[in-house]
């Protein structure tokens, strides 16, 4: 009998059209090819020509198809009809929605613009949304950096004019030793995976420092399960060891950093600790050729690392002296820190020796001539092939800013920044803080704000304070409480607005920020604040406008919902003015465009802002005749001019051949689409290392419009603006901090990196709460966005609390048991699982997997809502009372970054409550519950 084989088509046509755009399943912004069949998304693959991912696509990226078909997508504008939180809405037209928003916002703009608080979450259009807010005239604008990673960004920019991730990358082609600190797997996802693959194939060594061994740390050759919050101490112990053994790049320090810059060393001087400067403001060094103080950038200057200078009765010492005094101190020795950091002293010494060996004994040289800003030509480019990368794990602590600074100091003394094999900036970086704007907060009713909201302060004069010294901003950014809060403090907006401290607001306007759930500390407290009423029965926060593409937990607490599109249905601009997609060797930007049309009554949020701006007659959004200036966001992307010749997109300007600077090109978006959705301009040969000091790079950056003039600068091991705040706290100057903050400013705003214990350690009893509790973001999810995705839910449908072996045994727990976890603020009861590769005093879980019943169109019995949970219930935005009559913020005292990872808990075995605790009433969702199975066919 013959066997009948079925005839199978093993290579079916995947699509009848491919459209190229940019992924938005996380913030990496990979290029994607979207395969369409009969106008519907059939398949998504990576774009092999794209500079970010070169064809690589992660699980999230390919699951985008389920994101654009998710049942949780909002369908139409909504107006609240029941009480806040009831989920009772009626669908309204866009005209009605925008009329209502205008009715609320116009009187505010005309009389008290600061009564609008406009904050956006993880969107990528901040140069646009900040422009809108600036035009409105409110000082109350920021994005989510304050609760994410401002410590990392600000510490990098203040120290060396750039930071990790979007600002820079390891030199994957040359590095021989790569060290990761506190990196979650969803940040910089594909680029790091590709880089790790590259260096591992070459035999380079990877050292992972993280209390938790997952993801990147799981493939590290050496994993260091450090005690949470002690990274800064470990890093400074490495600095101690390198200094003690003389393993520093002294030539690099002398030429390119402020190590030789002179510091006023007279404690009685009102300028004590300030840098000595020439009349033109340039920092002064002693020139080895003349023995005289000279501006650092003069031709032929050879800065002296050791010479002191006495002038007008005052001794000035080089920064390097102060560093040696500080870090050679035995308190930073491996033996002194070992217990606290949880790493054997010998291991600390061994790692320092290994870093030094690779940096100096395995140094590399590229045969590439270059000329520095002093006019000296170098025959070769010398490389120290040790590179570092760090993210939220070290920055989301109350000592995070100084810890990130410490890591940069370590990189710099090794001479491994902007050299072959080290860490390299991506355009538009390097960019020192002086080139960034300062914060602006001057409000004039009916007029735009006096400048950009966010920026970099250089001393007390730049704080955002009113004439009476009170905070100008609702989040109290740029005040004495957190003077260098470069990204604002989104996590404090709702609690401050509720408390009317520093003042009350009228309208809270938010975009992509799930503040009533995983984006807030103290989740139930925030829900209470959003629903609280005053003596008249009116809401304490009178109006809430919210825009999101999905029925998230926040939707139920808004009064007006402006439904956004998904990322495949919209225009977007990944701009050099914002968070670009550049590589160390190239400037690059990209777009999104509607590769499919929305099938619902939704609009891209930025396009909505164009119309709302025109209705409010904001000057930047209105023509002289009063008509709407930009029809939509696409129109803005092409036609907006930020500075002469500079617009949101750098590519195909003018007649299509201009790059960086050029006139508006009406065909610009078409050119991007034809080019695969992106544009790349390579850094010329000879300009791609030593960028802050390399004449060729500086000239190229000016041509590209990244700077207006060459901006060579020194890395700031010693950050003088911090010293200016300390001086004020010591009583110098006219702008003075309140007395209760003086000691904290003196102690924490040290211009050289220090380590101090996380604040929670001194506000709770570490004996009673002996365990550290952390969250991590998984590779397969991006915050809460992935939890509704039918494919990704199958990877992370719930999130056990992982316990190390010691704690599992101590509490007699086994996988699947339940435990109650208590902090000083709250308690949760959750399922547990054993994980051996974990710091022995740390527990952790995946972030934002837990969902509230009724949200995201998930069924109430879904595992996210029954076995999933949030650690947020255990964390408060304020530290517990300490008996001094004050409630201190649970934030970094320098930048205000939320200290998510300072959390301490205690654990006890619990009987199974069947569902994770606490439970919340189910939300009534405007989109209902999705079907049990999601099936559809895109074609025959
Ligand atoms: S790494 Fe992020 S941007 Fe890239 S494919 Fe994955 S989800 Fe998309």
């Amino acid at each position: 009998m013959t066997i009948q084989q079925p005839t199978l088509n093993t290579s079916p046509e995947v699509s009848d059209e491919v459209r190229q755009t940019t992924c938005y399943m996380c913030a990496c912004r990979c290029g994607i090819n979207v395969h369409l069949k009969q106008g519907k998304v059939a398949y998504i693959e990576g774009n092999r020509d794209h500079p970010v991912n070169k064809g690589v696509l992660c699980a999230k990226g390919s699951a985008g198809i389920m994101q654009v078909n998710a049942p949780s997508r909002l369908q139409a504008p909504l107006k609240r009809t029941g009480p806040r939180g009831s989920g009772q809405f009626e669908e309204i037209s866009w005209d009605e929605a925008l009329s209502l928003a205008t009715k609320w916002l116009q009187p505010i703009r005309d009389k008290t613009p600061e009564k609008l608080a406009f904050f956006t979450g993880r969107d990528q259009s901040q140069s646009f949304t900040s422009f809108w807010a600036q035009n409105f005239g409110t000082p109350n604008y920021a994005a989510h950096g304050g609760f994410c990673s401002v410590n990392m960004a600000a510490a990098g920019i203040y120290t060396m004019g750039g930071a990790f991730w979007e600002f820079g990358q390891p030199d994957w082609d040359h590095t021989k030793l790569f060290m990761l600190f506190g990196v979650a797997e969803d940040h910089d996802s594909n680029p790091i995976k590709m880089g790790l693959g590259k260096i591992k194939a070459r035999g380079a060594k990877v050292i992972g420092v993280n209390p938790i061994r997952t993801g990147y740390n799981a493939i590290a050759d050496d994993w260091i399960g450090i005690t949470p919050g002690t990274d800064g101490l470990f890093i400074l112990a490495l600095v101690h060891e390198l200094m003690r053994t003389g393993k520093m790049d002294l030539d690099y320090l002398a030429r390119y950093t402020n190590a030789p810059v002179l510091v006023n060393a007279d404690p009685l001087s009102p300028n004590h600790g300030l840098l000595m400067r020439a009349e033109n403001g340039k920092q002064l060094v002693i020139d080895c050729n003349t023995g005289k103080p000279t501006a650092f950038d003069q031709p032929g200057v050879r800065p002296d690392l050791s010479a002191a200078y006495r002038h007008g009765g005052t001794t000035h010492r080089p920064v390097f002296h102060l560093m040696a005094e500080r870090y050679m101190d035995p308190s930073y020795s491996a033996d002194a820190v070992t217990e606290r950091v949880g790493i054997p002293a010998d291991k600390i010494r061994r790692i320092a020796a290994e870093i030094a060996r690779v940096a100096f004994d395995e140094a590399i040289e590229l045969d590439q001539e270059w000329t520095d800003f002093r006019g000296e030509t170098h025959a070769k480019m010398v490389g120290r092939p040790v590179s570092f990368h760090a993210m939220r794990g070290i920055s989301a602590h109350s000592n995070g800013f100084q810890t990130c600074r410490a890591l940069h100091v370590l990189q710099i003394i090794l001479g491994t920044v902007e050299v072959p094999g080290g860490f390299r900036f991506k355009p538009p970086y390097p960019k020192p803080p002086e080139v960034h704007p300062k914060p602006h907060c001057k409000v004039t009713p009916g007029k735009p704000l006096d400048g950009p909201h966010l920026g970099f302060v250089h001393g007390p004069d730049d704080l955002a304070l009113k004439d009476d010294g009170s905070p100008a901003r609702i989040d109290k950014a740029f005040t004495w409480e957190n003077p260098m809060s470069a990204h604002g403090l989104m996590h404090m907006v709702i609690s401050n607005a509720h408390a009317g401290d520093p003042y009350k607001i009228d309208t809270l306007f938010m975009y992509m920020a799930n503040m009533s759930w995983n984006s807030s500390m103290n989740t139930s407290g925030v829900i209470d604040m959003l629903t609280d009423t005053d003596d008249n029965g009116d809401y304490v926060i009178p109006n809430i406008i919210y825009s999101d593409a999905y029925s998230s937990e926040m939707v139920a607490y808004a009064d007006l919902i402006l439904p956004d599109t998904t990322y495949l249905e919209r225009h977007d601009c990944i701009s050099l003015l914002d968070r670009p997609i550049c590589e160390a060797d190239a400037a690059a930007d990209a777009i999104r465009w509607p590769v499919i049309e929305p099938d619902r009554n939704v609009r891209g949020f930025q396009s909505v802002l164009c119309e709302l701006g025109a209705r409010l007659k904001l000057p930047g959004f209105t023509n002289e005749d009063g008509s709407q200036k930009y029809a939509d966001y696409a129109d803005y992307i092409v036609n907006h001019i930020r500075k002469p010749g500079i617009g949101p997109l750098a590519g195909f300007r003018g007649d299509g051949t201009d790059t960086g600077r050029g006139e508006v090109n009406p065909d610009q978006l078409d050119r991007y689409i034809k080019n695969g959705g992106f544009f790349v301009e390579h850094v010329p040969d000879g300009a791609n290392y030593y960028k802050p000091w390399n004449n060729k790079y500086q000239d190229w950056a000016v041509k590209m419009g990244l700077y207006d003039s060459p901006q060579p600068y020194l890395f700031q091991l010693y950050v003088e603006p911090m010293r200016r705040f300390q001086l004020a706290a010591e009583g110098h100057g006219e702008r003075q901090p309140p007395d209760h903050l003086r000691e904290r400013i003196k102690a924490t705003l040290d211009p050289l990196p220090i380590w101090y214990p996380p604040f929670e350690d001194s506000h709770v009893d570490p004996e009673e709460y002996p365990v550290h509790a952390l969250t991590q973001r998984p590779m397969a999810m991006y915050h809460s966005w992935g939890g509704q995705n039918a494919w990704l839910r199958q990877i992370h449908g719930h999130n056990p609390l992982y316990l190390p072996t010691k704690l599992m045994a101590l509490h007699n727990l086994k996988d699947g048991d339940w435990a109650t976890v208590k902090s000083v603020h709250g308690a949760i009861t959750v399922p547990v699982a054993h994980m051996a590769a974990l710091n022995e005093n740390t527990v952790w879980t995946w972030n934002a997997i837990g969902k509230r019943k009724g949200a995201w169109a998930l069924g109430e019995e879904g595992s996210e809502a029954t076995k999933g949970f949030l650690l947020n219930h255990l964390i408060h935005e304020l530290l517990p009372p300490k008996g001094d009559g004050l409630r201190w913020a649970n934030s970094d005292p320098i930048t205000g970054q939320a200290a998510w990872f300072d959390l301490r808990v205690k654990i006890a075995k619990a009987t199974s409550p069947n569902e994770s605790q606490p439970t919340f009433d189910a939300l009534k969702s405007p989109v209902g519950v999705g079907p049990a199975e999601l099936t559809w066919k895109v074609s025959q």
Side-chain angles (χ1 to χ4, degrees), residues 131-146:
F131 178 71
W132 191 93
Q134 199 180 315
N135 267 271
F136 187 90
T138 178
N140 294 320
Y141 165 83
H144 84 290

Side-chain angles (χ1 to χ4, degrees), residues 230-558:
T230 66
D231 303 79
L233 193 56
F234 170 51
I235 293 164
L236 292 177
L238 295 176
V239 170
H240 171 93
E241 208 43 34
L242 293 169
M243 283 193 149
R244 188 184 67 79
T245 52
K247 297 291 188 186
M248 291 169 284
D249 190 334
L250 296 178
D251 186 56
Y252 182 96
L253 286 170
R255 286 175 185 273
Y256 308 128
T257 79
N258 73 354
V261 170
L262 296 164
V263 184
N264 181 321
D266 179 358
L268 298 178
S269 165
N271 295 325
H272 178 220
L274 297 186
L275 302 179
M276 198 172 176
R277 290 172 185 274
E279 275 181 12
N280 63 3
K282 302 271 183 180
Q283 298 180 5
L284 289 174
V285 298
I286 296 292
D287 182 359
C288 292
N289 299 311
T290 63
K292 292 198 172 139
T294 313
F296 77 92
D297 60 347
Q298 291 304 295
V301 165
R302 286 182 49 232
D304 190 330
L305 277 176
S306 59
Y309 177 67
R310 196 156 168 80
H311 174 69
T314 300
T315 299
H316 294 79
R317 300 168 66 204
V319 164
F320 197 52
H321 275 192
L322 310 184
M323 290 178 65
E325 243 168 47
R326 159 111 13 120
Y327 303 121
M328 294 289 280
D329 189 277
S331 61
Y332 288 109
S333 71
D335 290 317
V337 310
T338 177
E339 195 178 327
R340 187 123 213 180
V341 300
I343 308 168
D346 280 350
K347 186 157 190 175
I348 297 172
R349 283 188 282 265
R350 182 177 60 69
I351 291 168
E354 194 167 2
I355 291 172
R357 183 186 59 73
V358 177
F360 300 109
D361 300 350
E362 296 194 25
I364 50 179
E365 283 185 354
L366 299 188
D367 234 351
Q368 175 69 61
E369 189 180 273
W370 68 285
T371 303
D372 71 26
F373 64 101
R374 296 187 182 104
E376 188 175 342
T377 298
H378 306 258
K380 294 184 187 302
M381 290 182 161
V382 177
R384 310 262 174 232
V386 178
S387 60
F388 296 84
H389 182 72
M391 268 313 284
R392 249 179 119 224
I394 67 167
S395 64
H397 288 285
S398 52
N399 58 18
F401 181 83
Q402 289 284 23
T403 294
C404 297
R405 286 251 305 125
L407 182 54
H408 298 318
V409 166
L410 172 64
Q411 293 173 278
I412 291 169
I413 66 169
L414 288 164
T416 189
V417 182
E418 263 304 322
V419 299
F423 169 79
R424 307 175 66 195
F425 293 116
K426 302 179 191 179
Y429 294 89
K431 203 169 165 188
E434 293 77 17
V435 181
H436 291 261
K438 291 180 175 179
H440 292 75
C441 63
K442 185 158 175 18
V443 171
T444 310
K447 299 267 190 258
L449 200 70
D450 59 336
H453 303 83
L454 303 176
F456 288 79
V457 298
H458 300 280
D461 291 346
D462 300 331
L463 291 177
L465 300 175
K466 292 185 180 171
D467 291 343
D468 63 2
S470 65
R473 292 175 52 106
I474 188 71
D475 58 358
K476 303 190 188 178
F478 310 111
T479 66
W480 296 102
E481 283 185 38
N482 18 251
M484 299 165 91
S485 37
H487 290 181
L489 285 82
M490 186 167 179
H491 53 293
M492 298 305 293
V493 172
I494 292 172
S495 53
N496 289 356
H498 176 258
D501 175 19
Y503 46 79
K504 289 201 174 296
I505 62 165
D506 185 88
T507 298
L508 178 66
F509 188 3
M510 290 194 147
Y511 176 49
M512 284 173 77
N514 203 12
M515 301 306 287
S516 67
W517 198 244
N518 58 288
S519 291
S520 280
M521 294 172 161
N522 180 22
T523 302
S524 43
V526 169
I527 291 172
D528 289 345
M529 293 174 204
L530 292 172
T531 51
D532 194 19
T533 51
D534 61 19
D535 293 344
N536 300 326
D538 298 325
Y539 286 117
V540 174
I541 300 174
N543 297 312
I544 301 178
I545 307 174
Y546 184 55
S547 178
D548 200 326
Y550 301 99
S551 180
S552 65
E553 283 87 352
M554 183 62 195
V555 166
Y557 296 96

Side-chain angles (χ1 to χ4, degrees), residues 23-30 32 56-58 60-61 189-191:
C23 184
Y24 200 179
M25 293 296 288
C26 85
C28 285
R29 298 153 301 173
C30 298
I32 49 173
V56 174
L57 195 73
C58 77
K60 303 185 292 280
S189 185
N190 277 348

Side-chain angles (χ1 to χ4, degrees), residues 691-723:
K691 291 186 188 114
W693 319 292
N694 184 329
N695 283 350
K696 196 167 182 185
Y697 177 80
Q698 295 283 321
D699 291 343
W700 177 82
V702 172
K703 182 177 129 297
M704 282 291 294
L706 307 179
Y707 310 146
D708 289 334
S709 60
Q711 302 282 341
Y713 63 95
L714 299 177
F715 285 168
Q716 302 293 294
L717 294 157
Y718 184 97
V719 172
E720 190 184 37
M722 302 178 75
R723 178 63 197 146

Side-chain angles (χ1 to χ4, degrees), residues 513-775:
N514 203 12
M515 301 306 287
S516 67
W517 198 244
N518 58 288
S519 291
S520 280
M521 294 172 161
N522 180 22
T523 302
S524 43
V526 169
I527 291 172
D528 289 345
M529 293 174 204
L530 292 172
T531 51
D532 194 19
T533 51
D534 61 19
D535 293 344
N536 300 326
D538 298 325
Y539 286 117
V540 174
I541 300 174
N543 297 312
I544 301 178
I545 307 174
Y546 184 55
S547 178
D548 200 326
Y550 301 99
S551 180
S552 65
E553 283 87 352
M554 183 62 195
V555 166
Y557 296 96
D559 308 314
L560 174 64
I561 302 292
L562 307 175
D564 194 14
T565 63
T566 71
Y567 71 108
L568 296 182
E569 300 165 317
R570 60 183 298 116
H571 279 102
D572 260 328
C573 171
I574 297 105
S575 167
L576 284 167
L577 304 179
D578 209 321
R579 303 172 63 181
I581 54 159
C582 302
E583 295 293 298
D585 283 325
D589 58 16
I591 62 162
R592 292 191 189 93
W593 59 287
V595 297
I596 52 171
E597 287 300 319
D599 56 359
R600 317 165 303 291
N601 189 17
V602 298
R603 292 187 189 173
F605 178 64
Q606 293 79 2
S607 293
V608 170
L609 282 188
C610 288
E611 183 173 343
L612 185 57
R615 287 183 182 227
L616 291 164
K617 301 280 177 255
L618 306 187
F621 292 84
T622 318
N623 293 314
E624 276 181 15
D625 65 3
S627 59
Q628 185 170 333
K629 187 163 183 178
Y630 302 113
D632 54 19
Y633 193 35
D635 190 7
Y636 168 91
I637 291 170
V638 172
N639 290 303
H640 175 67
I641 298 290
R642 191 50 65 95
K643 285 197 288 192
I646 309 270
L649 291 172
F652 310 112
R653 299 194 68 78
D655 63 1
T657 59
D658 292 346
T659 294
R661 298 176 190 269
E663 298 300 313
V664 163
N665 173 9
D667 297 328
Q668 196 179 29
L669 290 179
D670 284 343
R671 294 293 305 272
Y672 270 79
I673 291 168
K674 284 197 187 96
N675 199 49
F678 63 92
F679 173 80
V680 178
E681 174 77 4
H682 287 277
V683 176
D685 285 347
N688 32 14
Y689 293 98
Y690 294 94
K691 291 186 188 114
W693 319 292
N694 184 329
N695 283 350
K696 196 167 182 185
Y697 177 80
Q698 295 283 321
D699 291 343
W700 177 82
V702 172
K703 182 177 129 297
M704 282 291 294
L706 307 179
Y707 310 146
D708 289 334
S709 60
Q711 302 282 341
Y713 63 95
L714 299 177
F715 285 168
Q716 302 293 294
L717 294 157
Y718 184 97
V719 172
E720 190 184 37
M722 302 178 75
R723 178 63 197 146
R724 293 201 183 104
F725 288 107
Q726 279 188 321
L727 269 179
E730 290 165 12
H732 298 286
E734 293 204 348
R735 256 192 172 174
Q736 286 289 299
D739 285 343
H740 72 276
L741 289 171
R742 285 184 194 276
E743 289 312 312
R744 192 176 82 167
I745 291 169
K746 284 190 235 172
T748 57
L749 274 100
D750 197 304
L752 285 176
I754 50 168
W755 181 83
Y756 51 86
F759 286 167
E760 180 145 337
D761 286 10
S762 59
H763 280 75
V764 307
D765 179 357
E767 305 261 314
E768 188 182 354
Y769 298 95
V771 177
H772 301 272
L774 302 175
T775 54

